[in-house]
Structures are given as structure tokens and as C-alpha cells.
Amino acid sequence: MLFSSIPFLFYFLPITIFLYFICPKVLKNALLAIVSFIFYAWGEPRYVVIMIVAVAASYLFGLLTELHRGKWLSKLWLILALAVGFGMLCYFKYADFFISNFNGITGLSVPLLNVALPIGISFYTFQLTSYNIDVYRGDTKAQKNPIDLAAYISFFPQLIAGPIVRYTDIEKQLKHRTHTFEKIAYGSRRFIIGLSKKILIANALGELCDIFKATNDNSILFFWLYGIAFSLHIYFDFSGYSDMAIGLGSIFGFEFIENFNYPYISRSVTEFWRRWHMSLGSWFRDYVYIPLGGNRVSKLKFIRNIFIVWMFTGFWHGAAWNFIAWGLFFAVFLLLEKFLLKKLLDKSHIISRVYLLFLVMVSFILFNATDMKDAIITIGGLFGYGGHPIISTEFIYYLRSFAVIIVIAAIGATSLPKMLTLKLMGSKVKIISYLEPVFLALLLIMCTAYLVDGSFNPFLYFRF
Amino acid sequence: MKAKNIITVILLCAILGGLSIYAYVKPQTKYSYAERRTLDTFPELSIKTLLSGDFMSEFENYTLDQFPFRDTFRGIKTFSEEYIFNKKDNNDIYNVDGYLSEMVYPLDYKMLDYASNKFKNIKDTYFPDSDSIYLTIVPDKNYFLAEKNGYLNVDYDKMFAYMQEKNDYMKYIDITPTLDINDYYRTDTHWKQEMLPQTAEMITETMGIDISNEYTEVQVEQPFYGVHCGHYGLQVKPDTISYLTNDIIDEFNVSIYNEFKEPVESTVYNMDKLNAEDPYDMFLSGVVGLITIENPNATTDKELVVFRDSFGASISPLLAQGYAKTTLIDLRMLNSVMLSDPDLQDSINFENSDILFMYSTIVLNTSTSLK
């Protein structure tokens, strides 16, 4: 079930909130686990079993790891926990990638598995494995209550698209969390903002990207428009979802970590990744990069560590070569910045920002390509590859049609709206502050209107 | 701050909760006139549909179709697109000075080829030796609105030239000089019959036929909300339907072949259709595969066969004045292979008839609907 859908907004969510707040405190986590499983089962009922197995294994191995702490068995339980988690991830997400590459290299025809990817498996696998590693390291105690662990893993706000909430961050909240009007109001506000980012901006920009992909009237400027639109689309889509998750978490009394911090105002790739998908970045830092030695090793090993981490970061996003290339693309520029570019970028705000935005745009074209060939053609198209004209009729039309949304998105991707809001809130004219609920209500109505219009499906014959 | 939080929560709960509760209790709507389609109702709930996921996907469709104030919300979306985000079109529909139009884009040469091949095939099969075959193309509203207002549009000159070239055995009748945007309904795809006498005259003149140009215009009382009203989403001023009549048209004997076999007596203007979902269907009863119009006052024995789409329904009564019999064939409803059906042989006479292919640019650009 998607947050940006009528069944979620007007059926699942009101019922869940109602049940949650009338439910006795002792049963709240159980309720959250049950509704989360229903939420998950909505999309693909069979895969609930996969998640239950993953949670059960993690729970069991967590207890055993703690039981044998300090002994070799402890490591064995951890390895088994990781094997189950990553094994399932590999089977569902990566098996066909490996098979097709194996077939390509050997010329054999090993049949593909063609299994559907369980929704959110990349996210909850990382949460489960971080839990087991933390228990092994002694950073946290094993959770004795399976319902609490199930509630943590399956908790629907962060289940499908993160943020990757660490068990250590949420452990205390599972047992002791407060529910205040302030938190509910903050959560509602955050949720509506995220919903609006997704429905009003990301979806519109996604529509523009789809138009570009389908066009027969291409031009160099249309490639640039696509690159800009997709970069904004993916930010508003993903950060919108994170906002909704954080907001929903707050409504249910949880405080989730932030996942985005205006990444497009960064002045280097290094800074960008401190602001983009922060929960994933910190996961790789703590569970891959630092265990490999981080930067406290020889230069050569440091370079190796960067490439390993970024290859896996790319691969985590998708089982295709363009995702691996996407990760390695960032590795190259992170290293370049570390050894060459840092001083240069520090000199000019303008050059560093243009540099970052251009690199990120190119990276997301690579990210969204159907394969490496498509990526090369599209990135080449930015510079005239393919013999396209500079400008085309469709480019002009769609630029004019989407100009307002692009401008709103570009401004919205900076901290300017937040600064402006804070200034208005601090204004002596109190009425401005009270306009916020009205504004949020209007946004909710607009989002609903866009969702309802999504069902508009005229019987085309009657056009003629 | 505390009060603001309370207002925020109450307001949002009221919207979510209020609409949720109303969605549960409101009676189901069966049909959408805006979209001309049946709406989804509550899906079958069983273990099988739950496990297969069918229930979930159908439930989502149901919630969308049955959402409270659905058309109002669609209007809000159109308003946002047009006035907040300044989008040029909404679901391909745009509004220029009250004229609603759906973009026709891009030009699809494959579709033009398909239509041309279909016409050629019909010609070779049914009237291979005829030299009285004519082609006219009805421009859609975009011809007058799109380019000058910055909307995507097909290159009409190229389209017309291509169709003439591909159908060079037909005599092409260019009717565009007789038309302008005022000749079309603001809220509908079609043209207005009361504005077509000059166009009809141009067509019949080219075919060497004289028709009366004296008519009485009768205006229908009820407002006409064309097909674009529903698509557009926002309230717009309705059109009015008028129809033309005179002594010759009044005497027409109209037969429609709903099942393509047994003719049913009908009228030129079917007033019952004014209350149906598409009032434009009042002209020759709307979408019908085969219609014949007999003209007892004809001064000639000559017959006319018109291969046409719905634009032909309103202009054909004017053309029919110059012929003893006019046969209208809608290839979207009547498969061209059925024209050789023995039961229809008596109804359709191609020999020594004028043959007119009259299709709109919209149908030609999506011509797979022609059977």
C-alpha cells in the first residue's frame, strides 16, 4: 500500500490511528505490528511470510548471540543471522542479475528465477542486520519480546522506503514513548508536506520524465530539461516519502532520524552524501566502511574501501550495472575531491554548486537509465550526441507547461521555504502563524484531488 | 502555539475522518456521465481474491471511483493545474477563451496509411470502376486553436497533403475555407450543424449537385454540455444545440440498421437522444453502422454513399437533399467486409453513386477504430 493512495489515506490510516489511540498502552506495539503486516500484505500477501521468517530468524539469532556473548558461538549466530537476511535479499533481488551475467559470460542458458521483489526488502534487511550486528557488538541488548521486534521491523511508516531506522535509535521508544498533541501536530504537518511533495511535485515531474522517454521530438535542451526534472523528481519523491514516514512516526510517538537535509545546496559530492539518504549513508559507514578500516589505513586501502562501499551503495539501489556504475561514479568524485578538487571547490560558491548540481544530474540520468547503453545515449544527448537539434517543439511546449512546477521544485529543494516559514512564524502578526493549519488543509485537499483524478478514465470512443 | 497545534490536528482529522466516514456510508454511484463509463463497485471479498491480490487492486479502483464528491475533487485538480501550476493542459484538454479542446498529437503516419489502405480496399472491392469518389477531411478544433495558442498539434497541411497523395484516386474537397472555430461547439468535439450550410454546399457543388440553402433553424431548449465538460473537470458555460430543417428534410425517410439486417424507421433528428448521455447523438441517432435516408422530393435518381464518422451525422441531412437516397456507413460500427452481406445488398448501392469519404482528423490519426 502506498501512502499516496486513497485506500491508505482514507481507509487504512484513519482506522489505524483510531484503533491505536483507543488501544491500551501495553497492546500498542502488538497493534502496530498487526496493522503493519496488513499494510505490507496489501501489495503482495505472500511476501508477508518472507518478512515474518526474516523477523523470526533475526529475533532468534539475536537472543542466541547475546546468550553466547564472548564465545565463538556468538559469531556463528551473527553469521547465520546475516546469511538469512542477505541470503533472502540476494535470492529475491540479485539472483537474476548474477544468472544473466553468468549466462552472458559463459554462453550458457541457466533459466532466470523471475521472482518478484518483495516490497521494502532492501530496507528491512538492513534494519534487521544492523540489529543483529549491534547485539553482537554489545551496542544493544537483544530484544526479548518478539512483538516489539516485529513492531520495529514491520512498522509501516518506514517499512517500504525508509528511513533505515536503527534499532539502537528506537529501542527505548518501543517501550517508553510519549503521545502529545504537539507530536501529533508536528507529525501531521510533516506528513502533509511529504504527501504534497510526492503528489503535487514529484508526480508532475515524473510525468514530464515519462513524456521525455516517449518523445520522438528530441532536442539537446529537452535532454537537459529531463535531467533537471528527474533530479528534482527523485529528490521530491524520496524525501517526500521520508517526510511522510517521519511524520507518521511522530503521530505514533516515535522520533525517526532525518533522511534528507537539502542535498542540492551542497558544494561537493562529499557534502551531498552527508545530506542525501542519510540513513543509508550512515549504515554503510558504520557497518561496511569503518569495519574495513575507514580512512585510518594506507592510501591504497582507503581508495579500496571507498570503491567497495560505493559499489555496494550502488548495488543496493538496484540489481543492474547502471546502479553499480552510479555508485562507482560517486566513488571517483569523492576521491577526486579528497585528493585534488577540495581546495578548488572551496574557492567559489558558484562553481562548486554548479559542479555538484551537474554531477548529480548526470548521476541520476545514469540511475534512471534502462541500461548502460541508454545511459550513454541520454548523457551524450546533453552534449549533442545523436545529432538532435538544439531545440524542439515539444521541449518548448513542456518547458512552458511545467515551468511553474520546476521553479517551485527548485526553490523547494533549498532551505529557503523553511527559512521563510520560520520568519513568518516568528512574526508579530499572529494570524500568519494560524494560517498554517489552513494551508495544510488546502494541501491535503489538493493532494486528494490529484489522487481522485488519477482514476479519471474516460471512455475514449465518445470523443468522436 | 498550542492552539495552532490543536487547530492543525482537528482540521486534518476532520478532512480525513469526515471523508472516510462519508465514503463508508455513501451509496454507490453506478455510472459516470463525465466519463461515459460504469464505475467500479465494491469487489468480491474471498480468501481467493485476498490471496491473489485481486481484492486489493479492485478495492483501490473502487475507492477511487466511489470517492465522495469525486467530480468536485476532479474540478479542484483542474483548477490547480490551470491556475496554480499554470499547466498548459489537463489530461490533454485545454481551454482557450471558453473553447475546450483535446490535443491531437503527434501526427501518426501509420494511422494515415491504415485509413488509406482501408479506403483503397473498400474501393477495390465494391466500386473499382467508379470515378465519382471524393475525400474530405474535417479539421478538429485544434486546427483553429492549437498552433496560435502554443499547443502541440499535428501539422495539418502535411496531413491533408499526405492523405491526398495516398488517396489520389479520390477527388479531394478542401472544406477548411468554409470553417472557423465559431462553427464548433465550445464544450464538444463536434461542429454545429447550423453553421454548415456553406460547407455542405461546397461539397455538393464539387460533386455536381445542387441543394437548397434555405433552412429554418430550431434551437433546442435544454443546455448542451459536450463531451469535454466532463473531461475538463471545471464548470463551463454550456452550449446550445440547434438543428436545421426545411420542407425537403422534413420529408426524409430515415432507416437505421442497428443489427445491420432489419431496418428500423427513424427520424433525422432523434429528440430522445437529447436526454441521453451524449445529446449530439440527436443527429441521425448517433453512432449507427448503417443508415439510409430516402428523399421523396429528389429531382434526380442519383444516390450518395458516405463513409463517415460522427461529424458526418450532422452534415449528412444537408447533403442528402440533393440525392434520391443517401447511405451512411460508419466503419467503426460496421465492418467493411459486411458490406458484401447479401442482406445488405438491397440497402447499399455503389453503382453510379457518388461516394464520399468524410473523416475527421481525429479519427484519421487514430484510425485503427475503422474496421
Side-chain angles (χ1 to χ4, degrees):
Chain A
M1 197 184 297
L2 295 172
F3 295 158
S4 51
S5 70
I6 294 291
F8 177 81
L9 285 173
F10 292 95
Y11 291 81
F12 180 87
L13 188 59
I15 293 170
T16 299
I17 290 174
F18 176 74
L19 291 176
Y20 181 79
F21 283 102
I22 62 164
C23 180
K25 192 179 173 187
V26 69
L27 293 176
K28 283 190 190 301
N29 284 352
L31 177 80
L32 286 181
I34 291 166
V35 296
S36 296
F37 281 120
I38 293 171
F39 173 88
Y40 191 75
W42 193 263
E44 186 54 83
R46 288 174 301 166
Y47 284 155
V48 171
V49 178
I50 308 288
M51 193 164 68
I52 291 171
V53 169
V55 173
S58 195
Y59 171 74
L60 187 70
F61 291 128
L63 287 179
L64 290 169
T65 304
E66 188 169 77
L67 188 70
H68 298 112
R69 190 184 303 285
K71 297 173 188 167
W72 67 271
L73 270 172
S74 179
K75 188 174 267 184
L76 175 69
W77 300 130
L78 172 67
I79 290 168
L80 285 174
L82 298 182
V84 171
F86 288 125
M88 288 201 300
L89 187 63
C90 281
Y91 174 77
F92 285 104
K93 189 168 179 176
Y94 299 109
D96 280 350
F97 172 77
F98 289 121
I99 292 171
S100 56
N101 279 287
F102 176 76
N103 287 344
I105 293 165
T106 61
L108 296 172
S109 306
V110 179
L112 297 179
L113 301 177
N114 288 320
V115 284
L117 184 67
I119 301 162
I121 191 170
S122 305
F123 286 94
Y124 71 71
T125 300
F126 270 39
Q127 295 196 171
L128 283 169
T129 48
S130 74
Y131 162 73
N132 286 105
I133 294 169
D134 288 347
V135 171
Y136 172 78
R137 285 174 175 172
D139 292 342
T140 186
K141 287 183 178 175
Q143 175 58 257
K144 305 287 186 298
N145 186 340
I147 289 171
D148 284 358
L149 189 68
Y152 154 63
I153 294 299
S154 66
F155 189 34
F156 70 88
Q158 41 86 54
L159 178 60
I160 288 178
I164 301 168
V165 179
R166 305 271 189 92
Y167 180 74
T168 46
D169 292 333
I170 210 174
E171 183 186 6
K172 285 180 185 163
Q173 298 172 46
L174 281 167
K175 278 291 170 215
H176 309 287
R177 58 183 181 274
T178 54
H179 303 91
T180 63
F181 233 87
E182 196 181 352
K183 279 171 100 172
I184 296 169
Y186 170 77
S188 307
R189 195 178 302 134
R190 196 72 193 264
F191 179 77
I192 300 294
I193 296 292
L195 187 71
S196 307
K197 282 166 82 173
K198 164 71 184 154
I199 294 176
L200 303 180
I201 297 176
N203 285 1
L205 294 168
E207 186 191 329
L208 177 56
C209 295
D210 290 343
I211 288 166
F212 169 82
K213 292 253 175 186
T215 188
N216 289 318
D217 185 29
N218 237 327
S219 60
I220 294 171
L221 288 176
F222 209 174
F223 279 99
W224 282 87
L225 182 64
Y226 162 70
I228 293 165
F230 186 73
S231 302
L232 290 168
H233 162 73
I234 194 167
Y235 169 67
F236 277 88
D237 195 281
F238 199 2
S239 72
Y241 225 93
S242 292
D243 286 336
M244 287 188 268
I246 292 166
L248 287 170
S250 183
I251 291 172
F252 294 104
F254 290 91
E255 284 175 35
F256 290 165
I257 52 162
E258 290 295 335
N259 214 15
F260 290 87
N261 183 23
Y262 308 108
Y264 289 154
I265 64 170
S266 305
R267 295 178 55 202
S268 65
V269 170
T270 314
E271 187 185 356
F272 176 79
W273 274 101
R274 283 200 290 263
R275 292 170 175 274
W276 178 277
H277 203 175
M278 290 142 70
S279 62
L280 181 74
S282 66
W283 195 98
F284 273 106
R285 183 195 63 212
D286 293 347
Y287 298 109
V288 181
Y289 180 64
I290 290 175
L292 283 171
N295 59 1
R296 294 180 180 179
V297 286
S298 67
K299 195 181 269 187
L300 213 61
K301 279 190 174 173
F302 167 68
I303 293 170
R304 177 206 67 182
N305 292 348
I306 290 287
F307 272 106
I308 288 173
V309 166
W310 288 94
M311 187 189 75
F312 281 123
T313 302
F315 206 35
W316 180 87
H317 285 84
W321 283 108
N322 61 305
F323 290 108
I324 294 174
W326 180 75
L328 294 177
F329 174 88
F330 282 116
V332 168
F333 281 94
L334 283 165
L335 290 170
L336 279 174
E337 284 175 12
K338 176 85 179 171
F339 296 120
L340 285 173
L341 298 173
K342 192 174 182 306
K343 282 183 183 168
L344 197 72
L345 294 172
D346 285 344
K347 280 183 185 167
S348 165
H349 279 257
I350 295 170
I351 290 173
S352 57
R353 291 210 161 91
V354 171
Y355 153 86
L356 185 272
L357 290 173
F358 174 72
L359 285 186
V360 168
M361 182 184 78
V362 170
S363 83
F364 281 133
I365 290 175
L366 181 59
F367 184 93
N368 196 40
T370 48
D371 51 36
M372 285 304 291
K373 189 183 166 192
D374 180 40
I376 291 164
I377 289 170
T378 314
I379 294 167
L382 297 169
F383 306 100
Y385 174 75
H388 299 292
I390 293 172
I391 200 162
S392 59
T393 310
E394 282 196 31
F395 162 75
I396 295 167
Y397 180 75
Y398 290 114
L399 177 67
R400 288 170 66 189
S401 200
F402 285 87
V404 172
I405 284 171
I406 290 171
V407 169
I408 290 173
I411 295 169
T414 70
S415 51
L416 212 65
K418 188 179 180 180
M419 285 159 56
L420 193 68
T421 309
L422 289 174
K423 201 170 180 181
L424 286 172
M425 293 303 164
S427 156
K428 285 178 183 170
V429 187
K430 288 290 173 201
I431 189 75
I432 292 172
S433 170
Y434 286 98
L435 284 177
E436 187 197 85
V438 178
F439 178 66
L440 291 171
L442 288 174
L443 283 179
L444 178 58
I445 287 169
M446 276 175 72
C447 289
T448 306
Y450 275 71
L451 289 177
V452 171
D453 191 70
S455 68
F456 180 67
N457 182 20
F459 184 43
L460 293 179
Y461 182 80
F462 281 87
R463 288 186 309 170
F464 318 123
Chain B
M1 197 57 97
K2 200 174 174 184
K4 190 184 81 177
N5 288 337
I6 292 169
I7 294 169
T8 302
V9 174
I10 289 174
L11 203 55
L12 298 179
C13 282
I15 295 170
L16 281 178
L19 285 170
S20 300
I21 291 166
Y22 188 55
Y24 299 134
V25 300
K26 106 179 209 335
Q28 295 189 28
T29 312
K30 288 184 179 167
Y31 191 79
S32 166
Y33 284 94
E35 296 156 71
R36 270 74 165 166
R37 71 174 175 93
T38 308
L39 297 174
D40 282 356
T41 50
F42 195 84
E44 182 197 346
L45 178 60
S46 66
I47 299 291
K48 193 181 166 191
T49 57
L50 274 174
L51 289 178
S52 67
D54 288 348
F55 174 80
M56 289 76 156
S57 57
E58 286 172 21
F59 180 80
E60 176 141 12
N61 294 337
Y62 155 77
T63 59
L64 286 165
D65 273 7
Q66 299 293 339
F67 199 77
F69 315 112
R70 184 165 175 271
D71 287 341
T72 307
F73 275 109
R74 285 194 42 245
I76 293 170
K77 193 253 183 175
T78 306
F79 179 86
S80 307
E81 291 279 270
E82 197 167 322
Y83 298 104
I84 298 175
F85 296 121
N86 202 30
K87 286 276 289 287
K88 295 282 288 174
D89 65 272
N90 179 33
N91 296 329
D92 286 346
I93 303 281
Y94 63 89
N95 180 353
V96 173
D97 300 331
Y99 277 91
L100 303 180
S101 189
E102 181 170 10
M103 286 196 293
V104 176
Y105 182 84
L107 180 57
D108 192 336
Y109 285 102
K110 280 184 186 165
M111 291 291 113
L112 302 187
D113 287 341
Y114 179 89
S116 301
N117 292 338
K118 178 68 66 186
F119 299 160
K120 181 75 166 57
N121 189 263
I122 290 169
K123 184 246 181 197
D124 290 345
T125 309
Y126 301 110
F127 37 90
D129 303 322
S130 173
D131 60 353
S132 300
I133 310 171
Y134 302 87
L135 171 69
T136 190
I137 299 173
V138 181
D140 62 274
K141 283 198 277 190
N142 295 294
Y143 178 78
F144 307 99
L145 294 175
E147 191 173 2
K148 70 177 176 186
N149 290 290
Y151 290 93
L152 291 175
N153 61 95
V154 299
D155 186 328
Y156 287 95
D157 291 338
K158 276 188 185 169
M159 186 187 210
F160 298 153
Y162 191 80
M163 285 304 289
Q164 285 178 66
E165 189 191 322
K166 294 294 270 186
N167 300 280
D168 55 2
Y169 57 91
M170 301 193 201
K171 296 180 187 79
Y172 183 69
I173 308 171
D174 180 9
I175 55 172
T176 54
T178 67
L179 295 166
D180 64 43
I181 189 61
N182 297 311
D183 300 334
Y184 293 75
Y185 296 109
R186 283 179 293 98
T187 65
D188 198 73
T189 318
H190 297 105
W191 52 12
K192 300 174 181 172
Q193 192 198 39
E194 70 272 22
M195 307 299 278
L196 299 179
Q198 196 192 346
T199 310
E201 245 183 294
M202 174 177 256
I203 293 170
T204 49
E205 251 179 53
T206 311
M207 296 192 291
I209 299 289
D210 283 332
I211 57 170
S212 164
N213 59 4
E214 292 196 0
Y215 304 96
T216 304
E217 183 180 331
V218 183
Q219 189 175 314
V220 171
E221 276 185 22
Q222 63 223 69
F224 171 39
Y225 291 95
V227 68
H228 290 323
C229 285
H231 295 185
Y232 183 54
L234 284 179
Q235 280 291 324
V236 288
K237 195 178 154 195
D239 281 295
T240 50
I241 289 190
S242 293
Y243 60 92
L244 301 176
T245 188
N246 58 25
D247 291 344
I248 302 171
I249 293 174
D250 283 347
E251 299 278 315
F252 282 171
N253 298 315
V254 178
S255 299
I256 64 175
Y257 293 69
N258 276 325
E259 300 300 323
F260 315 130
K261 299 283 168 75
E262 292 300 320
V264 177
E265 202 172 303
S266 185
T267 52
V268 175
Y269 304 116
N270 185 342
M271 297 304 167
D272 293 341
K273 294 284 185 183
L274 288 173
N275 299 314
E277 60 194 16
D278 206 342
Y280 180 80
D281 283 352
M282 69 161 286
F283 296 103
L284 291 171
S285 298
V287 185
V288 180
L290 180 62
I291 301 174
T292 59
I293 304 171
E294 287 176 15
N295 178 7
N297 297 312
T299 54
T300 171
D301 291 337
K302 200 153 193 193
E303 295 189 18
L304 171 68
V305 179
V306 185
F307 291 90
R308 56 96 191 189
D309 55 27
S310 54
F311 282 82
S314 50
I315 197 171
S316 291
L318 313 187
L319 305 178
Q321 295 176 98
Y323 292 91
K325 184 182 173 189
T326 302
T327 304
L328 304 178
I329 298 167
D330 189 339
L331 293 173
R332 297 169 306 165
M333 302 301 292
L334 177 64
N335 195 314
S336 51
V337 296
M338 283 191 69
L339 297 174
S340 58
D341 189 310
D343 290 339
L344 296 178
Q345 290 292 303
D346 293 340
S347 313
I348 309 171
N349 173 31
F350 293 117
E351 205 170 321
N352 297 323
S353 295
D354 284 338
I355 313 287
L356 174 64
F357 286 86
M358 179 164 56
Y359 281 96
S360 66
T361 47
I362 302 171
V363 167
L364 290 176
N365 208 45
T366 51
S367 64
T368 44
S369 59
L370 303 178
K371 297 173 192 166

